[in-house]
Amino acid sequence: MVAFDGHGQLLAELGKDWCQPGAVCADDGGHLYVALRELNKVMAFGPGGEALGPFLTTRHGIERARVATVTGDGHFTVVLSNGTVHVFRIQYPGQ
């Protein structure tokens, strides 16, 4: 996956060794979220493309995430392959 800023400048090439992402979305702060269905997790990246680590994993009930989005009120919604929908409140470091 390749990430660009609003001016078309390359931010980062993310996850060269990963499986194909199931969903990619971003929040208002420029954080990227990548659902990796085969790995059963959602990874988070900072506004500059730096890896922040797993955002959601099987510990949070994530099994084969397919679709994800960030709502305007700071919630992260993910739909799993079995059709269930999970909604999480995003907490950033320092909150």
Side-chain angles (χ1 to χ4, degrees):
M1 186 177 85
V2 180
F4 296 93
D5 67 12
H7 303 286
Q9 298 298 312
L10 178 68
L11 286 176
E13 290 184 56
L14 309 173
K16 294 178 185 177
D17 298 325
W18 289 350
C19 58
Q20 185 175 359
V24 178
C25 59
D27 63 15
D28 290 341
H31 294 87
L32 300 172
Y33 303 92
V34 181
L36 301 170
R37 185 172 53 188
E38 289 84 6
L39 299 178
N40 290 323
K41 63 181 157 184
V42 176
M43 295 293 294
F45 296 88
E50 66 278 7
L52 300 177
F55 176 66
L56 296 172
T57 65
T58 54
R59 188 181 102 221
H60 304 99
I62 299 303
E63 294 283 342
R64 301 185 56 78
R66 289 185 48 210
V67 178
T69 190
V70 177
T71 65
D73 62 354
H75 286 82
F76 184 88
T77 304
V78 62
V79 180
L80 307 183
S81 292
N82 67 5
T84 61
V85 178
H86 294 263
V87 180
F88 299 90
R89 186 164 116 1
I90 299 173
Q91 289 185 308
Y92 299 100
Q95 280 188 326

